[in-house]
Amino acid sequence: MTRPIILNAADLPEWTHEELRTLFTVLDLPDDPAAARAFLQEQGSRIRGIALRKTKIDAAFLDALPSLEIISSYSAGLDNVDIGAVRARGVSIENTSHILAEDVANAAVGLALALTRDFVNADAFVRSGQWPVQGQYRLGRSISRMKIGIVGLGTIGSAIAKRLHAFGSQVAYFGPSRKAVELPWYDDVTRLAHDSDMLILTCPLSPATHHLVNADVIRALGPDGFLVNIARGPVVDERALVAALAADGLAGAALDVFEHEPEVPEALLRDRRLVLTPHIGSGTQETRHAMAEHVVDALARHFGIDGPRTRATRAASLQTT
């Protein structure tokens, strides 16, 4: 049986590449854009699947792959993929949002706690020897007594809502449509910000959500409000955020993503009201391993191949029956 030909357009762990090479004929996409275009012109008609991470997939890219059947992405977001063009061609898309949701939700709540209880600065306070001199550290805020708005109640947003419910927070959400959940729904993010003590951003990046959190939304959140972003950097108008902080128009923010990452504006780096992390929402060994497994398994299932993970799952199932 001829093995399906797939395009490797992803920087993945080496063991993942080995699994892909075991199951498929793998063609590696060149890093150089000109070389990549020439490569696709020569080899594109043979490619039936893509292992993807950050490579941009637009209509022109797809035009070079007339036999493409599936894209398996090592990511939650698909902002690098022209979803409309993919669907118009009948190509399947798999991503890993369901796998990373729990750890990203944990990170979001951890950032919210670090922000409202000022853990980062409190740590510095102890390490610098100020505690014996200055005494009691300033009081923080309680997320258990906050109204928290979630922007985007998908898999990750729902996992965050479950955790906040356990803390006792009052949770509402914004999204394009009402979900089948018993939480207040807002169809206007500015109104949600006005009615919230904190916004947690989990929505995908799209033309509709680019700079969704703008100066008006930040103004509505107010000088006592907090912002947590574990979505994508460009969901927030970073200039508006910097301006609001300079005018004391926001109590603080926790940002795991940035508009032009890995570059971070100097004004944000200097501001001690912020908690800043380097896009590590899903960054645990266990989740990243499971994400890589899923990239392989999604391709294997699509082509009816008994892949490494499907074999292990079947063996475990047989042992319990």
Side-chain angles (χ1 to χ4, degrees):
M1 178 180 176
T2 303
R3 295 191 299 178
I5 296 174
I6 69 161
L7 178 68
N8 172 39
D11 179 15
L12 299 169
E14 182 53 36
W15 64 264
T16 314
H17 292 301
E18 291 176 3
E19 286 194 353
L20 289 171
R21 288 191 289 266
T22 298
L23 300 171
F24 306 100
T25 297
V26 179
L27 304 178
D28 293 317
L29 184 70
D31 293 330
D32 178 72
R37 286 193 295 271
F39 173 84
L40 292 177
Q41 287 176 358
E42 180 182 346
Q43 302 288 347
S45 62
R46 306 168 59 208
I47 293 167
R48 298 175 60 193
I50 301 177
L52 182 67
R53 191 167 185 178
K54 295 180 179 178
T55 301
K56 184 177 180 180
I57 305 295
D58 56 16
F61 194 106
L62 294 167
D63 286 342
L65 280 65
S67 301
L68 185 64
E69 300 174 27
I70 181 173
I71 297 171
S72 182
S73 182
Y74 180 90
S75 67
L78 291 168
D79 41 281
N80 55 318
V81 178
D82 185 335
I83 301 295
V86 170
R87 289 176 176 165
R89 288 163 172 77
V91 175
S92 300
I93 306 177
E94 290 266 359
N95 68 354
T96 56
S97 60
H98 60 294
I99 292 171
L100 54 78
E102 298 300 314
D103 269 328
V104 176
N106 291 342
V109 174
L111 286 170
L113 287 169
L115 178 62
T116 55
R117 297 298 302 276
D118 203 28
F119 287 150
V120 176
N121 291 318
D123 176 90
F125 180 80
V126 174
R127 292 176 187 274
S128 65
Q130 294 180 70
W131 194 6
V133 178
Q134 296 191 21
Q136 181 67 42
Y137 193 71
R138 60 181 175 269
L139 300 179
R141 298 278 303 280
S142 171
I143 66 169
S144 296
R145 293 169 175 81
M146 281 188 179
K147 297 178 180 178
I148 300 181
I150 298 176
V151 179
L153 197 72
T155 307
I156 295 170
S158 297
I160 293 171
K162 180 174 70 174
R163 286 157 173 75
L164 293 175
H165 177 75
F167 275 98
S169 310
Q170 297 181 51
V171 179
Y173 70 98
F174 163 82
S177 60
R178 187 187 299 272
K179 302 275 188 175
V181 295
E182 294 183 1
L183 293 174
W185 170 61
Y186 285 71
D187 61 1
D188 185 300
V189 69
T190 305
R191 286 199 303 110
L192 176 63
H194 179 270
D195 293 348
S196 300
D197 301 300
M198 174 187 289
L199 286 186
I200 299 180
L201 313 182
T202 73
C203 58
L205 177 62
S206 69
T209 61
H210 183 270
H211 284 187
L212 177 68
V213 177
N214 55 23
D216 290 339
V217 174
I218 296 171
R219 191 177 304 111
L221 193 54
D224 295 324
F226 297 94
L227 178 69
V228 176
N229 189 7
I230 50 91
R232 287 290 186 267
V235 171
V236 176
D237 182 342
E238 216 163 66
R239 288 186 178 182
L241 175 60
V242 169
L245 289 164
D248 293 328
L250 195 66
L255 308 173
D256 185 48
V257 290
F258 303 87
E259 190 162 1
H260 303 290
E261 61 186 54
E263 300 300 323
V264 180
E266 184 66 27
L268 299 183
L269 294 174
R270 293 196 309 265
D271 198 323
R272 299 300 299 178
R273 294 169 294 180
L274 306 185
V275 177
L276 309 177
T277 53
H279 204 149
I280 56 171
S282 64
T284 68
Q285 295 177 18
E286 295 84 355
T287 284
R288 292 294 174 86
H289 191 93
M291 289 168 64
E293 286 180 343
H294 184 76
V295 170
V296 178
D297 292 345
L299 291 165
R301 282 194 303 270
H302 178 83
F303 292 109
I305 297 172
D306 192 14
R309 230 46 55 198
T310 53
R311 282 201 300 272
T313 301
R314 185 175 297 114
S317 177
L318 289 173
Q319 290 175 2
T320 58
T321 57

